[in-house]
Short mmCIF file of all heavy atoms in Angstrom, two decimals:
data_model
loop_
_atom_site.label_atom_id
_atom_site.label_comp_id
_atom_site.label_asym_id
_atom_site.label_seq_id
_atom_site.Cartn_x
_atom_site.Cartn_y
_atom_site.Cartn_z
N VAL A 6 -34.68 -4.90 55.16
CA VAL A 6 -35.40 -3.74 55.70
C VAL A 6 -36.32 -3.15 54.64
O VAL A 6 -37.50 -2.83 54.91
CB VAL A 6 -34.41 -2.69 56.23
CG1 VAL A 6 -35.14 -1.39 56.57
CG2 VAL A 6 -33.64 -3.21 57.44
N ILE A 7 -35.81 -2.99 53.42
CA ILE A 7 -36.59 -2.36 52.36
C ILE A 7 -37.80 -3.22 51.99
O ILE A 7 -38.92 -2.70 51.80
CB ILE A 7 -35.68 -2.09 51.14
CG1 ILE A 7 -34.67 -0.98 51.49
CG2 ILE A 7 -36.50 -1.71 49.90
CD1 ILE A 7 -33.50 -0.88 50.52
N ALA A 8 -37.62 -4.53 51.89
CA ALA A 8 -38.76 -5.41 51.59
C ALA A 8 -39.80 -5.37 52.72
O ALA A 8 -41.01 -5.31 52.46
CB ALA A 8 -38.27 -6.83 51.37
N ASP A 9 -39.34 -5.40 53.96
CA ASP A 9 -40.26 -5.37 55.10
C ASP A 9 -41.07 -4.08 55.12
O ASP A 9 -42.28 -4.09 55.40
CB ASP A 9 -39.50 -5.53 56.41
CG ASP A 9 -38.98 -6.94 56.62
OD1 ASP A 9 -39.47 -7.87 55.93
OD2 ASP A 9 -38.08 -7.12 57.46
N LYS A 10 -40.42 -2.96 54.85
CA LYS A 10 -41.12 -1.68 54.87
C LYS A 10 -42.10 -1.58 53.70
O LYS A 10 -43.14 -0.93 53.82
CB LYS A 10 -40.13 -0.52 54.86
CG LYS A 10 -39.32 -0.40 56.16
CD LYS A 10 -38.67 0.95 56.33
CE LYS A 10 -39.66 2.06 56.54
NZ LYS A 10 -40.46 1.92 57.77
N THR A 11 -41.76 -2.19 52.58
CA THR A 11 -42.69 -2.20 51.45
C THR A 11 -43.95 -2.98 51.82
O THR A 11 -45.08 -2.53 51.56
CB THR A 11 -42.02 -2.83 50.21
OG1 THR A 11 -40.87 -2.06 49.85
CG2 THR A 11 -42.99 -2.88 49.04
N ILE A 12 -43.77 -4.14 52.42
CA ILE A 12 -44.92 -4.95 52.85
C ILE A 12 -45.75 -4.18 53.88
O ILE A 12 -46.99 -4.17 53.82
CB ILE A 12 -44.44 -6.29 53.43
CG1 ILE A 12 -43.88 -7.18 52.30
CG2 ILE A 12 -45.57 -7.01 54.16
CD1 ILE A 12 -43.19 -8.44 52.78
N ASP A 13 -45.08 -3.52 54.81
CA ASP A 13 -45.79 -2.76 55.84
C ASP A 13 -46.64 -1.66 55.23
O ASP A 13 -47.78 -1.43 55.64
CB ASP A 13 -44.77 -2.18 56.83
CG ASP A 13 -45.44 -1.46 57.99
OD1 ASP A 13 -46.13 -2.14 58.78
OD2 ASP A 13 -45.28 -0.23 58.10
N TRP A 14 -46.08 -0.98 54.20
CA TRP A 14 -46.86 0.09 53.56
C TRP A 14 -48.07 -0.48 52.82
O TRP A 14 -49.19 0.05 52.92
CB TRP A 14 -45.98 0.88 52.58
CG TRP A 14 -46.76 1.99 51.94
CD1 TRP A 14 -47.06 3.22 52.47
CD2 TRP A 14 -47.41 1.95 50.65
NE1 TRP A 14 -47.83 3.95 51.60
CE2 TRP A 14 -48.06 3.20 50.48
CE3 TRP A 14 -47.49 0.99 49.65
CZ2 TRP A 14 -48.79 3.50 49.32
CZ3 TRP A 14 -48.21 1.29 48.49
CH2 TRP A 14 -48.85 2.53 48.33
N ILE A 15 -47.89 -1.56 52.09
CA ILE A 15 -49.00 -2.18 51.36
C ILE A 15 -50.07 -2.64 52.35
O ILE A 15 -51.27 -2.46 52.13
CB ILE A 15 -48.52 -3.35 50.49
CG1 ILE A 15 -47.56 -2.85 49.39
CG2 ILE A 15 -49.71 -4.06 49.84
CD1 ILE A 15 -46.91 -3.97 48.59
N GLU A 16 -49.64 -3.23 53.45
CA GLU A 16 -50.57 -3.76 54.46
C GLU A 16 -51.41 -2.65 55.07
O GLU A 16 -52.59 -2.86 55.41
CB GLU A 16 -49.78 -4.48 55.55
CG GLU A 16 -50.61 -5.06 56.66
CD GLU A 16 -51.46 -6.27 56.24
OE1 GLU A 16 -51.20 -6.83 55.14
OE2 GLU A 16 -52.35 -6.64 57.00
N ASN A 17 -50.84 -1.45 55.21
CA ASN A 17 -51.52 -0.35 55.89
C ASN A 17 -52.01 0.75 54.94
O ASN A 17 -52.32 1.86 55.36
CB ASN A 17 -50.59 0.26 56.95
CG ASN A 17 -50.31 -0.71 58.08
OD1 ASN A 17 -51.17 -0.94 58.93
ND2 ASN A 17 -49.12 -1.29 58.08
N ARG A 18 -52.09 0.42 53.66
CA ARG A 18 -52.51 1.40 52.66
C ARG A 18 -54.02 1.67 52.78
O ARG A 18 -54.74 0.98 53.53
CB ARG A 18 -52.22 0.86 51.26
CG ARG A 18 -53.17 -0.24 50.84
CD ARG A 18 -52.70 -1.04 49.67
NE ARG A 18 -53.71 -1.96 49.19
CZ ARG A 18 -54.04 -3.10 49.76
NH1 ARG A 18 -53.42 -3.48 50.87
NH2 ARG A 18 -54.99 -3.87 49.24
N ASP A 19 -54.48 2.61 51.99
CA ASP A 19 -55.91 2.85 51.83
C ASP A 19 -56.44 1.79 50.87
O ASP A 19 -56.18 1.85 49.67
CB ASP A 19 -56.13 4.26 51.26
CG ASP A 19 -57.60 4.58 51.02
OD1 ASP A 19 -58.45 3.67 51.17
OD2 ASP A 19 -57.90 5.73 50.65
N THR A 20 -57.14 0.82 51.38
CA THR A 20 -57.57 -0.32 50.56
C THR A 20 -58.68 0.02 49.58
O THR A 20 -59.06 -0.82 48.76
CB THR A 20 -58.02 -1.49 51.46
OG1 THR A 20 -59.07 -1.04 52.33
CG2 THR A 20 -56.85 -2.01 52.29
N SER A 21 -59.18 1.24 49.62
CA SER A 21 -60.20 1.64 48.65
C SER A 21 -59.58 2.04 47.31
O SER A 21 -60.31 2.25 46.34
CB SER A 21 -61.04 2.80 49.20
OG SER A 21 -60.26 3.99 49.29
N LYS A 22 -58.25 2.12 47.28
CA LYS A 22 -57.57 2.53 46.06
C LYS A 22 -56.59 1.44 45.60
O LYS A 22 -56.04 0.72 46.44
CB LYS A 22 -56.77 3.82 46.29
CG LYS A 22 -57.58 5.03 46.68
CD LYS A 22 -56.64 6.22 46.92
CE LYS A 22 -57.43 7.46 47.31
NZ LYS A 22 -56.51 8.62 47.53
N PRO A 23 -56.35 1.36 44.29
CA PRO A 23 -55.24 0.52 43.85
C PRO A 23 -53.93 1.20 44.23
O PRO A 23 -53.89 2.40 44.50
CB PRO A 23 -55.43 0.46 42.33
CG PRO A 23 -56.17 1.71 41.99
CD PRO A 23 -57.04 2.02 43.18
N PHE A 24 -52.84 0.45 44.23
CA PHE A 24 -51.57 1.04 44.63
C PHE A 24 -50.47 0.79 43.61
O PHE A 24 -50.53 -0.17 42.83
CB PHE A 24 -51.13 0.50 46.00
CG PHE A 24 -50.76 -0.97 46.02
CD1 PHE A 24 -49.51 -1.41 45.60
CD2 PHE A 24 -51.67 -1.93 46.48
CE1 PHE A 24 -49.16 -2.77 45.63
CE2 PHE A 24 -51.34 -3.28 46.52
CZ PHE A 24 -50.09 -3.70 46.09
N MET A 25 -49.50 1.67 43.64
CA MET A 25 -48.22 1.43 42.97
C MET A 25 -47.14 1.57 44.03
O MET A 25 -46.93 2.65 44.59
CB MET A 25 -47.93 2.40 41.83
CG MET A 25 -46.57 2.07 41.17
SD MET A 25 -45.99 3.27 39.95
CE MET A 25 -45.47 4.61 41.00
N ALA A 26 -46.46 0.48 44.33
CA ALA A 26 -45.38 0.47 45.30
C ALA A 26 -44.07 0.24 44.56
O ALA A 26 -43.91 -0.77 43.87
CB ALA A 26 -45.59 -0.61 46.34
N MET A 27 -43.13 1.17 44.71
CA MET A 27 -41.80 1.03 44.12
C MET A 27 -40.84 0.61 45.22
O MET A 27 -40.57 1.36 46.16
CB MET A 27 -41.36 2.34 43.46
CG MET A 27 -42.35 2.88 42.44
SD MET A 27 -41.74 4.28 41.47
CE MET A 27 -41.05 3.41 40.06
N CYS A 28 -40.36 -0.62 45.10
CA CYS A 28 -39.46 -1.22 46.09
C CYS A 28 -38.06 -1.27 45.48
O CYS A 28 -37.80 -2.09 44.60
CB CYS A 28 -39.96 -2.62 46.44
SG CYS A 28 -38.88 -3.56 47.52
N HIS A 29 -37.18 -0.38 45.92
CA HIS A 29 -35.88 -0.19 45.28
C HIS A 29 -34.75 -0.67 46.21
O HIS A 29 -34.40 0.01 47.18
CB HIS A 29 -35.66 1.28 44.94
CG HIS A 29 -36.54 1.79 43.85
ND1 HIS A 29 -36.48 3.09 43.38
CD2 HIS A 29 -37.49 1.18 43.11
CE1 HIS A 29 -37.36 3.25 42.42
NE2 HIS A 29 -37.99 2.10 42.23
N PHE A 30 -34.18 -1.81 45.88
CA PHE A 30 -33.07 -2.32 46.68
C PHE A 30 -31.76 -1.61 46.35
O PHE A 30 -31.50 -1.25 45.20
CB PHE A 30 -32.89 -3.82 46.43
CG PHE A 30 -34.06 -4.66 46.84
CD1 PHE A 30 -34.64 -5.55 45.96
CD2 PHE A 30 -34.59 -4.55 48.12
CE1 PHE A 30 -35.72 -6.33 46.34
CE2 PHE A 30 -35.68 -5.32 48.52
CZ PHE A 30 -36.25 -6.21 47.62
N LYS A 31 -30.93 -1.45 47.37
CA LYS A 31 -29.55 -0.98 47.16
C LYS A 31 -28.72 -2.04 46.47
O LYS A 31 -27.88 -1.75 45.61
CB LYS A 31 -28.91 -0.60 48.49
CG LYS A 31 -27.41 -0.34 48.40
CD LYS A 31 -26.80 -0.11 49.77
CE LYS A 31 -25.28 -0.05 49.70
NZ LYS A 31 -24.77 1.00 48.81
N ALA A 32 -28.91 -3.28 46.88
CA ALA A 32 -28.18 -4.40 46.29
C ALA A 32 -28.48 -4.48 44.79
O ALA A 32 -29.57 -4.13 44.36
CB ALA A 32 -28.60 -5.69 46.98
N THR A 33 -27.53 -4.92 43.96
CA THR A 33 -26.24 -5.49 44.26
C THR A 33 -25.09 -4.50 44.02
O THR A 33 -24.02 -4.88 43.51
CB THR A 33 -25.99 -6.70 43.33
OG1 THR A 33 -26.24 -6.26 41.96
CG2 THR A 33 -26.89 -7.87 43.63
N HIS A 34 -25.30 -3.27 44.38
CA HIS A 34 -24.28 -2.24 44.15
C HIS A 34 -23.02 -2.53 44.96
O HIS A 34 -23.08 -3.14 46.04
CB HIS A 34 -24.85 -0.87 44.54
CG HIS A 34 -24.05 0.28 44.06
ND1 HIS A 34 -22.92 0.72 44.69
CD2 HIS A 34 -24.22 1.10 42.98
CE1 HIS A 34 -22.42 1.77 44.04
NE2 HIS A 34 -23.19 2.01 42.99
N GLU A 35 -21.89 -2.13 44.42
CA GLU A 35 -20.63 -2.19 45.16
C GLU A 35 -20.83 -1.56 46.54
O GLU A 35 -21.49 -0.51 46.62
CB GLU A 35 -19.57 -1.42 44.36
CG GLU A 35 -18.16 -1.66 44.79
CD GLU A 35 -17.17 -0.92 43.85
OE1 GLU A 35 -17.62 -0.16 42.96
OE2 GLU A 35 -15.97 -1.10 44.03
N PRO A 36 -20.38 -2.19 47.64
CA PRO A 36 -19.36 -3.23 47.79
C PRO A 36 -19.89 -4.67 47.84
O PRO A 36 -19.22 -5.55 48.40
CB PRO A 36 -18.70 -2.86 49.11
CG PRO A 36 -19.82 -2.30 49.93
CD PRO A 36 -20.69 -1.55 48.95
N PHE A 37 -21.09 -4.93 47.31
CA PHE A 37 -21.58 -6.31 47.11
C PHE A 37 -21.66 -7.10 48.44
O PHE A 37 -21.27 -8.27 48.50
CB PHE A 37 -20.69 -7.08 46.12
CG PHE A 37 -20.15 -6.25 45.00
CD1 PHE A 37 -18.78 -6.07 44.84
CD2 PHE A 37 -21.00 -5.64 44.08
CE1 PHE A 37 -18.27 -5.30 43.80
CE2 PHE A 37 -20.50 -4.88 43.04
CZ PHE A 37 -19.13 -4.70 42.89
N ASP A 38 -22.20 -6.48 49.46
CA ASP A 38 -22.27 -7.13 50.77
C ASP A 38 -23.49 -8.05 50.84
O ASP A 38 -24.38 -7.99 49.99
CB ASP A 38 -22.31 -6.09 51.89
CG ASP A 38 -21.68 -6.60 53.18
OD1 ASP A 38 -21.49 -7.82 53.31
OD2 ASP A 38 -21.40 -5.76 54.07
N TYR A 39 -23.56 -8.88 51.87
CA TYR A 39 -24.61 -9.89 51.96
C TYR A 39 -24.82 -10.27 53.42
O TYR A 39 -23.93 -10.11 54.27
CB TYR A 39 -24.22 -11.14 51.15
CG TYR A 39 -22.83 -11.62 51.42
CD1 TYR A 39 -22.57 -12.49 52.49
CD2 TYR A 39 -21.76 -11.19 50.64
CE1 TYR A 39 -21.28 -12.91 52.75
CE2 TYR A 39 -20.47 -11.61 50.90
CZ TYR A 39 -20.23 -12.47 51.96
OH TYR A 39 -18.95 -12.89 52.23
N PRO A 40 -26.01 -10.81 53.74
CA PRO A 40 -26.27 -11.24 55.12
C PRO A 40 -25.64 -12.59 55.40
O PRO A 40 -25.34 -13.36 54.48
CB PRO A 40 -27.80 -11.32 55.16
CG PRO A 40 -28.21 -11.60 53.75
CD PRO A 40 -27.20 -10.90 52.88
N GLU A 41 -25.49 -12.88 56.66
CA GLU A 41 -24.82 -14.10 57.10
C GLU A 41 -25.47 -15.36 56.55
O GLU A 41 -24.79 -16.36 56.27
CB GLU A 41 -24.81 -14.15 58.64
CG GLU A 41 -24.19 -15.40 59.24
CD GLU A 41 -22.72 -15.57 58.89
OE1 GLU A 41 -22.04 -14.54 58.67
OE2 GLU A 41 -22.25 -16.73 58.83
N ARG A 42 -26.78 -15.35 56.35
CA ARG A 42 -27.47 -16.57 55.92
C ARG A 42 -27.07 -17.03 54.52
O ARG A 42 -27.39 -18.16 54.13
CB ARG A 42 -28.99 -16.37 56.01
CG ARG A 42 -29.58 -15.34 55.05
CD ARG A 42 -31.07 -15.17 55.35
NE ARG A 42 -31.76 -14.25 54.46
CZ ARG A 42 -31.82 -12.93 54.62
NH1 ARG A 42 -31.22 -12.37 55.66
NH2 ARG A 42 -32.49 -12.18 53.76
N PHE A 43 -26.37 -16.17 53.77
CA PHE A 43 -25.89 -16.59 52.45
C PHE A 43 -24.37 -16.64 52.36
O PHE A 43 -23.81 -16.82 51.28
CB PHE A 43 -26.45 -15.65 51.36
CG PHE A 43 -27.94 -15.78 51.19
CD1 PHE A 43 -28.79 -14.74 51.54
CD2 PHE A 43 -28.49 -16.96 50.73
CE1 PHE A 43 -30.16 -14.87 51.42
CE2 PHE A 43 -29.87 -17.10 50.60
CZ PHE A 43 -30.70 -16.05 50.95
N SER A 44 -23.71 -16.50 53.49
CA SER A 44 -22.24 -16.49 53.47
C SER A 44 -21.66 -17.86 53.14
O SER A 44 -20.50 -17.97 52.74
CB SER A 44 -21.70 -15.99 54.81
OG SER A 44 -22.04 -16.90 55.85
#
């Protein structure tokens, strides 16, 4: 979700300006959960 929203913001930014996007994942904080595709 966080990566997708970061891409969405960059895609819809004001392209006349440079950007700084801070993409901050919760992972790998305890409880160390993961999606099914890596189980």
Side-chain angles (χ1 to χ4, degrees):
V6 171
I7 291 165
D9 287 343
K10 291 198 67 63
T11 299
I12 290 171
D13 184 65
W14 181 80
I15 296 173
E16 180 70 14
N17 293 286
R18 74 196 188 283
D19 179 353
T20 57
S21 68
K22 298 179 180 180
F24 67 81
M25 181 188 74
M27 306 189 92
C28 174
H29 291 181
F30 297 128
K31 170 186 172 58
T33 51
H34 194 280
E35 195 176 5
F37 324 118
D38 209 344
Y39 48 86
E41 178 62 28
R42 66 186 183 274
F43 293 112
S44 65

